[in-house]
């Protein structure tokens, strides 16, 4: 789960990690009020969206007067910001962070992530502040320093110390840098983070060590023990279909195309998206209905795929393990009753491939209850090819 | 033969009185698995499907001599169940549970250092040695006896691949689901090592997906150590970066973990990778033919 920069900074503040003074604002008046409450003359107006690369996209402005704050806030609120990470459609700015300006002397990168190979939290630092860490890793890996953290000990002082010296913090800032790292690690553990990234971390001319930006991501599986984090969720940042699906306990990712698919199991669902593309279709989504899908859940899955006219065709690809084919077939019948009233059939072609547990009963159910536009495919390959062809034909005729 | 479990493996089911656990205990027994005990705190003395229930894993091990366990405990308690299995000195703990917090898995990995227990999973379908033993939720009937080992990060893809293998007449020794989580007990290299040492296994199919670099690392290990031909499939070619595709570990982050990189690494060491999920069986057949062992592997 992602949260906004201003929310991340609030958490850091609670743990005594140094961040600039600042306040969020939802409208221009609040922005001006926030600026008035700050002690610095110069302040920064920052667009709050769940994506990086805001600075380069014009989402961060330096204001020297209250009039400028007003002007920038007016400009940014409601604007669609297109950054390297938002995709071409961009993201709408609904919130701002108004923050005191910092007297920057030098910028660094500091991050904590999970290392899959060692199974440990790793702290990474570099002097290339402001640059994407992936870019540094690719172009000059020798400039990244790493400290692997033993979970039984936690981040040891000597490790934070070594990082501070490796990054050549000036003597007046060494202890502060070390304290910053220790504090950020505490946040990472206490809140079950998956990423804690400070880019840039800056040393000011006054020798302070401050998080100029802050990005925290959280482990979805651990949210049950962090209701405070769950409460920070900004649903306007999420794809409406993905949000709908997650509320129904379905795993859905919108991929933007028009050939939809409904699959059981994440691995097979990914592979089904791939095979649609292999036959020349544009996948509309990834959708894992899970191992225990009830007919109701399957009906909802159909509604999500069809919402807004996105799906021009649907490929149902089920390998029944725990999931029994007859229950899936019943689900399709139920979905047709809800979506296609009075036997009108499905609004778009639906190709169904069933295999595995109770496959014969599943096929029989669909044979006994013929639904207009629902076609059985004998094989997965044939089914994928057929749905792509049907969607192409439908588009030609439209 | 096969790896990790056989017809003599004595198994304890952790969380046996839960609904899913009870259902699968019945399935595992029907497959011939020697389930000797179940554990649910506070339920000692009960019987589930004819299996005696104990309060602790230690009690179960002391009373029955069980050496392996399968964990069906809900996510927020599952980490503790794994620790209990390790503490009881089991050789093998297989954890089916999905959504265990990553931080809990990090602690488990640390706790297991220097201990003899092997963990398979979490977030996996389990392990099945054909016609001998199954721990987990893999549907048994699709498996046929033979000489190909299967390693997979995905449950349904394990079933799909095994189904295609059996349909092509290629039987299997053991299928092991290593799970879809980023931090897990057994990874590709661990499972490959076991299959490499198993005389009955003549070839291995590995099924990977986006996220992490375990497939790339496995490719390097195979080139240096593997005595048997390997075929592969990777799902997630069309996955966009930064999006989690169902599994906690299936995410391309920082440009790392793409399907293209994995396929390239596997191809570079001479491993054939199926172009679509529908061609996994064919790809294994082609690999076996190239290695000249198709006839001995055509067992069913």
């Amino acid at each position: 789960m992602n949260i906004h920069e201003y929310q991340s900074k609030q958490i850091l503040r609670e743990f005594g990690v140094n961040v600039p003074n600042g306040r969020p604002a939802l409208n221009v008046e609040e922005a001006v009020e926030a600026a008035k409450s700050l002690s610095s003359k110069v302040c920064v107006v920052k667009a709050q969206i769940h994506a990086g690369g805001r600075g380069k996209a014009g989402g961060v402005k330096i204001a020297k007067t209250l009039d400028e704050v007003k002007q920038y806030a007016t400009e940014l609120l409601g604007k669609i910001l297109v950054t390297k990470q938002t995709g071409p459609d961009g993201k709408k700015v609904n919130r701002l962070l108004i923050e005191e300006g910092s007297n920057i002397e030098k910028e660094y990168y500091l991050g904590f992530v999970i290392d899959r190979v060692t199974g440990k939290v790793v702290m990474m630092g570099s002097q290339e502040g402001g640059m994407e860490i992936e870019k540094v890793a690719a172009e000059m890996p020798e400039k990244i320093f790493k400290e692997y953290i033993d979970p039984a000990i936690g981040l040891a002082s000597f490790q934070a110390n070594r990082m501070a010296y490796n990054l050549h913090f000036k003597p007046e800032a060494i202890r502060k840098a070390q304290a910053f790292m220790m504090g950020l690690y505490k946040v990472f553990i206490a809140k079950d983070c998956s990423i804690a990234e400070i880019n840039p971390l800056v040393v000011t001319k006054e020798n302070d060590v401050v998080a100029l930006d802050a990005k925290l991501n959280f482990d979805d599986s651990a949210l049950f023990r962090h209701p405070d984090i769950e409460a920070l969720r900004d649903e306007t940042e999420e794809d409406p279909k993905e949000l709908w699906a997650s509320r129904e306990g379905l795993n859905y990712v919108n991929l933007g195309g028009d050939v939809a698919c409904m699959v059981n199991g994440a691995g097979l669902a990914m592979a089904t998206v791939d095979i649609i593309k292999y036959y020349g279709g544009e996948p509309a989504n990834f959708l894992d209905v899970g191992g225990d899908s009830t007919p109701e859940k399957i009906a909802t899955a159909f509604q999500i795929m069809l919402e807004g006219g996105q799906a021009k065709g649907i490929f149902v690809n089920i390998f029944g393990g725990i999931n029994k084919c007859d229950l899936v077939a019943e689900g399709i019948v139920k979905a047709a009753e809800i979506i296609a009233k009075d036997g009108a059939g499905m609004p778009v072609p639906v190709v169904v491939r069933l295999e595995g547990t109770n496959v014969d009963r599943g096929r029989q159910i669909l044979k006994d209850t013929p639904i207009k536009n629902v076609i059985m495919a004998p094989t997965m390959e044939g089914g994928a090819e057929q749905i792509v062809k049907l969607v192409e034909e439908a588009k030609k005729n439209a | 033969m096969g790896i990790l479990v056989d017809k003599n493996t004595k198994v304890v089911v952790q969380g046996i009185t839960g609904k899913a656990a009870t259902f699968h205990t019945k399935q595992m027994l029907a497959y011939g698995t020697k389930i000797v005990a179940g554990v649910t705190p506070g339920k000692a003395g009960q019987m589930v499907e004819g299996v005696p229930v104990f309060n602790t894993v230690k009690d179960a091990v002391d009373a029955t001599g069980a050496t392996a366990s399968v964990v069906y405990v809900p996510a927020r308690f599952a980490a503790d169940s794994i620790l209990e299995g390790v503490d009881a000195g089991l050789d093998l703990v297989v954890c089916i549970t999905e959504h265990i917090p990553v931080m809990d898995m990090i602690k488990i990995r640390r706790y297991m250092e220097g201990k003899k227990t092997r963990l398979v999973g979490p977030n996996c379908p389990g392990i099945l040695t054909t016609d001998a033993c199954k721990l987990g939720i893999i549907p048994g009937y699709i498996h046929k006896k033979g000489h190909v080992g299967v390693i997979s990060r995905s449950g349904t893809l394990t079933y799909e691949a095994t189904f295609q293998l059996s349909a092509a007449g290629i039987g299997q020794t053991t299928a092991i689901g290593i799970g879809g989580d980023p931090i897990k007990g057994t990874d590709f290299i661990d499972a490959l090592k076991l299959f490499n040492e198993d005389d009955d296994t003549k070839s291995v199919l590995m099924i990977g997906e986006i996220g992490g670099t375990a497939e790339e690392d496995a490719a390097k290990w195979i080139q240096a150590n593997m005595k048997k031909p390997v075929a592969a499939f990777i799902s997630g070619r069309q996955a966009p970066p930064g999006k989690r595709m169902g599994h906690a570990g299936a995410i391309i982050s920082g440009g790392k973990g793409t399907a293209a990189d994995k396929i390239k690494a596997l191809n570079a060491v001479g491993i054939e990778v199926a172009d679509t999920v529908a061609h996994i069986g064919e790809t294994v057949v082609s690999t076996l033919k190239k290695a000249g062992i198709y006839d001995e592997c055509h067992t069913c």
Side-chain angles (χ1 to χ4, degrees):
Chain A
M1 183 190 142
N2 295 339
I3 59 173
H4 289 293
E5 175 196 3
Y6 77 88
Q7 296 168 323
S8 296
K9 283 181 168 167
Q10 183 53 38
I11 295 171
L12 295 188
R13 216 172 266 132
E14 285 161 21
F15 278 76
V17 179
N18 204 9
V19 296
N21 285 323
R23 272 169 52 178
L26 298 175
N27 55 49
V28 177
E29 292 72 41
E30 279 181 22
V32 174
E33 281 310 307
K36 276 185 193 162
S37 75
L38 300 176
S39 57
S40 75
K41 243 190 123 181
V42 174
C43 70
V44 190
V45 180
K46 302 182 86 174
Q48 300 292 289
I49 54 168
H50 286 186
R54 292 168 299 164
K56 286 198 183 89
V60 179
K61 306 275 187 191
I62 312 283
K64 295 193 187 70
T65 64
L66 286 178
D67 280 345
E68 280 184 12
V69 170
K70 195 173 172 182
Q71 181 200 331
Y72 292 139
T74 312
E75 260 175 53
L76 285 175
L77 282 167
K79 185 180 173 177
I80 305 289
L81 212 55
V82 182
T83 82
K84 253 178 84 174
Q85 292 181 10
T86 57
D89 292 342
K91 279 195 160 170
K92 192 177 164 192
V93 181
N94 295 314
R95 306 179 190 199
L96 299 174
L97 169 62
I98 315 297
E99 202 170 69
E100 283 178 0
S102 295
N103 222 345
I104 302 169
E105 187 173 288
K106 188 165 163 50
E107 300 190 349
Y108 300 84
Y109 170 95
L110 185 74
F112 288 86
V113 293
I114 310 279
D115 182 66
R116 297 163 72 128
V117 176
T118 57
K120 290 191 166 97
V121 177
V122 58
M123 175 169 71
M124 295 192 294
S126 119
Q127 292 194 69
E128 309 301 313
M131 201 170 153
E132 274 178 49
I133 193 72
E134 293 84 23
K135 208 168 169 222
V136 183
E139 290 169 14
M140 29 192 177
E142 73 284 354
K143 295 208 169 166
I144 298 177
F145 294 91
K146 291 181 181 177
E147 294 288 345
Y148 292 87
I149 300 160
D150 186 326
I153 304 291
L155 178 65
S157 289
F158 82 86
Q159 291 181 299
N161 211 28
R162 184 158 64 194
M163 180 64 82
Y165 282 110
N166 279 337
L167 299 185
H168 297 290
F169 277 88
K170 62 180 173 182
E172 299 83 351
I174 286 275
R175 290 192 71 100
K176 286 175 185 164
Q178 193 190 12
F180 188 99
M181 293 173 206
M182 301 299 281
L184 187 58
Y185 177 71
K186 265 193 199 130
V187 172
F188 193 91
I189 298 299
K191 300 294 180 188
D192 277 290
C193 291
S194 47
I195 295 174
E197 192 176 67
I198 311 299
N199 193 17
L201 171 71
V202 303
V203 172
T204 65
K205 297 206 167 96
E206 299 80 24
N207 300 330
D208 280 327
V209 176
V210 193
L212 221 55
D213 196 1
K215 175 179 156 185
L216 298 182
N217 285 1
F218 303 91
D219 176 6
D220 292 328
S221 297
L223 285 175
F224 72 88
R225 53 192 178 205
H226 302 291
D228 55 327
I229 302 296
E230 181 77 61
L232 299 177
R233 172 164 259 150
D234 179 359
E235 295 188 340
T236 64
E237 287 284 333
E238 295 177 34
D239 178 277
K241 284 189 172 190
E242 290 178 12
L243 192 62
W244 181 7
S246 76
R247 285 194 184 128
E248 300 289 340
L250 294 162
N251 241 320
Y252 174 96
V253 178
N254 199 338
L255 299 175
D258 51 18
V259 184
C261 59
M262 183 182 88
V263 189
N264 66 321
L268 187 59
M270 269 186 271
T272 304
V273 167
D274 294 349
I275 201 172
I276 288 170
K277 183 77 181 180
Y278 181 85
Y279 285 110
E282 285 305 323
N285 62 274
F286 162 98
L287 172 57
D288 171 13
V289 290
D292 55 349
S293 7
T294 57
E296 288 74 19
K297 215 167 167 181
I298 286 168
T300 308
F302 270 96
Q303 286 173 314
I304 293 171
M305 287 186 286
L306 290 165
E307 172 71 20
Q310 184 182 1
K312 302 278 183 275
I314 296 171
F315 183 33
V316 178
N317 189 13
I318 301 291
F319 192 98
I322 313 311
N323 213 342
K324 297 182 183 66
C325 290
D326 49 340
L327 290 183
V328 175
E330 280 170 21
I332 295 169
V333 172
K334 175 112 186 175
E337 278 167 14
I338 295 169
I339 294 157
K341 290 175 188 77
D342 310 321
M346 287 290 191
V348 300
V350 177
V351 173
V352 182
R353 179 263 183 165
L354 293 177
E355 200 57 77
T357 309
N358 295 354
V359 60
D360 293 334
R361 264 194 283 182
R363 286 184 183 151
Q364 195 59 44
I365 288 168
L366 290 178
K367 217 180 212 173
D368 293 345
T369 323
I371 307 161
K372 211 177 139 199
N373 260 345
V374 175
I375 306 146
M376 288 297 294
T379 65
M380 172 164 39
E381 210 174 359
E385 213 173 345
Q386 194 175 8
I387 192 65
V388 172
K389 214 178 267 169
L390 288 169
V391 168
E392 270 169 21
E393 278 166 20
K395 282 200 279 194
K396 248 184 237 159
N397 296 335
Chain B
M1 290 290 276
I3 63 167
L4 293 173
V5 293
D6 59 31
K7 62 181 177 18
N8 299 315
T9 307
K10 289 186 184 172
V11 180
V12 48
V13 178
Q14 294 185 246
I16 192 166
T17 52
K19 197 177 148 211
T22 302
F23 172 80
H24 288 292
T25 296
K26 200 173 172 180
Q27 305 283 319
M28 290 187 286
L29 285 166
Y31 198 71
T33 312
K34 243 189 203 161
I35 296 179
V36 295
V39 170
T40 299
K43 303 274 173 83
Q46 290 187 15
M47 299 290 271
V48 172
E49 301 293 334
V51 175
V53 181
F54 297 85
N55 281 329
T56 69
V57 176
K58 175 123 192 345
D59 287 350
V61 169
D62 287 347
T64 65
T67 58
S69 84
V70 54
V71 177
Y72 290 99
V73 173
R76 51 183 84 180
F77 312 112
D80 189 60
S81 295
I82 297 172
L83 294 178
E84 190 183 357
V86 176
D87 178 79
L90 294 171
D91 293 329
L92 175 70
V93 173
V94 176
C95 184
I96 308 303
T97 312
E98 184 176 6
H99 299 307
I100 297 179
V102 172
M103 222 53 87
D104 295 3
M105 283 311 302
I106 287 177
K107 286 186 195 152
I108 286 172
R109 280 266 297 253
R110 175 69 168 87
Y111 179 74
M112 293 184 73
E113 276 175 26
K115 303 225 166 43
K116 69 167 183 171
T117 312
R118 166 178 298 284
L119 172 67
V120 173
N123 186 15
C124 79
I127 175 165
L128 182 149
T129 294
T130 311
D131 295 344
C133 177
K134 82 158 181 166
L135 273 68
I137 60 177
I138 300 174
Y141 74 93
I142 52 178
H143 292 256
K144 304 280 182 237
K145 220 170 161 60
H147 302 294
V148 173
V150 179
I151 314 168
S152 172
R153 278 171 69 183
S154 144
T156 1
L157 275 183
T158 311
Y159 317 155
E160 182 72 52
T162 306
F163 179 79
Q164 289 180 28
L165 289 178
S166 295
I170 307 297
Q172 310 90 39
T173 46
T174 299
I176 173 169
I178 57 174
D181 272 8
I183 310 279
K184 48 179 161 266
T186 297
D187 221 322
F188 280 114
I189 293 178
D190 306 304
L192 285 163
K193 273 183 194 164
L194 294 168
F195 279 127
N196 210 19
E197 299 308 316
D198 174 42
D199 291 340
D200 213 18
T201 302
K202 311 278 182 215
S203 174
V204 176
L205 165 65
M206 57 180 275
I207 299 168
E209 63 191 31
I210 55 160
T213 54
E215 292 83 355
E216 288 92 324
D217 298 340
K220 278 187 215 143
W221 188 89
I222 289 167
Q223 187 178 34
N225 304 288
M226 195 74 185
K227 299 176 283 194
K228 303 167 184 185
V230 176
F233 174 69
I234 304 290
S235 59
R237 290 176 198 240
Q238 300 303 321
K243 279 280 188 184
R244 212 169 284 284
M245 304 297 271
H247 288 154
I251 181 165
I252 298 167
S253 52
K256 280 252 168 88
T258 64
D261 282 351
K262 292 172 190 301
I263 293 164
K264 201 174 142 196
L266 291 163
N267 283 337
V269 300
I271 296 169
E272 199 177 333
V273 181
D275 56 355
T276 79
V277 55
H279 294 155
I280 296 175
E282 286 173 28
T283 305
V284 173
V285 166
S286 144
T287 298
L288 296 176
K289 281 186 176 162
K290 265 185 217 152
I293 54 172
Y294 173 74
D295 287 338
E296 57 181 309
C297 289
H298 194 268
T299 52
C300 54

